[in-house]
Amino acid sequence: MKSSKPISGRYLGYRAADHALPYARFFNPNLAPLAPHVCAALDRGGVPDLLLPDIDGAAQNLFGDAPVLEDGFVLTKDGGMRVSVRTDMPGVTPAMIDWWFGWHGDTPAKYKLWHPQAHVHVGWRDPLPSGASGRALYVGQTSLVDEFIASDLIRGSIRFVPPASFGFADPRLDDDRQATIVCARIGLGDAPIDVGYLAHHVRAVAGGSEMRSRFWMGGKHVGGRNLIGSLAAGLAKRVLRLTEGDARALLVHCAQEMPHLAAFLPELYAACQSERT
């Protein structure tokens, strides 16, 4: 993973001005302990790649047509990695997740609610479409983020894409009372290079939702966004290899931020909806 240098004026946590914001009451600097099933995955270590399919097998893996490794990681022979995390989200609906991904990306103080010990800065590359809502608000947009993955500050580019572009065509995704899926191409913020893909599948269950997250990073998934990026990506594929430490760090990061989000999202969503009426 690429580590970036801090930019002046960007900082972890909340300062006095942040605490004056209307949603500041949802900022909680303390994270809950990792879930037992996540700790078990970390104790187990890496698994054979057959247990966590590549992105071309993601649809069957996420929608129940194939055996599922809920939590774990794989290091691939081409220097990449795959990471899987499950998150229970009491009180959360799929529609809330779509709302969150459109709402938080314009202000660092909103982004920091999600992971107060790792998220530093966020901004949209282009203005969001007016009048859009739900998934239509963020799909097609690029979020530029500064965040720590373990102790490395990463400057990333997250380009949200339609689920169908990943082969996800489950009809339940058309009803945000039943399910949604957040799909994105992950890249570097400082260079025109993409390094992987992510998908967060959220389905309604009794009492809330269950999120199943997948990351496919490095190796053959590295590519350029233009000619210069393609040349650099070709070199990166040959010399860079993701490590077990990288896989563990990404698994932990996701397993921290998603339960933390679930803890405040229902109340935040309700408060913001009431302000609109």
Side-chain angles (χ1 to χ4, degrees), residues 18 24 43 65 99 112 119 137 211 222 225 255-256:
D18 300 311
D43 288 343
D65 297 327
W99 173 84
K112 293 176 183 184
H119 289 180
L137 186 60
M211 175 182 283
V222 177
R225 296 196 288 270
Q256 289 175 328

Side-chain angles (χ1 to χ4, degrees), residues 34-47 71-73 244 248 251-252:
L34 291 174
H37 58 89
V38 173
C39 294
L42 293 168
D43 288 343
R44 181 185 58 220
V47 300
D71 306 278
F73 63 88
E244 181 170 336
R248 288 177 175 274
L251 193 158
V252 168

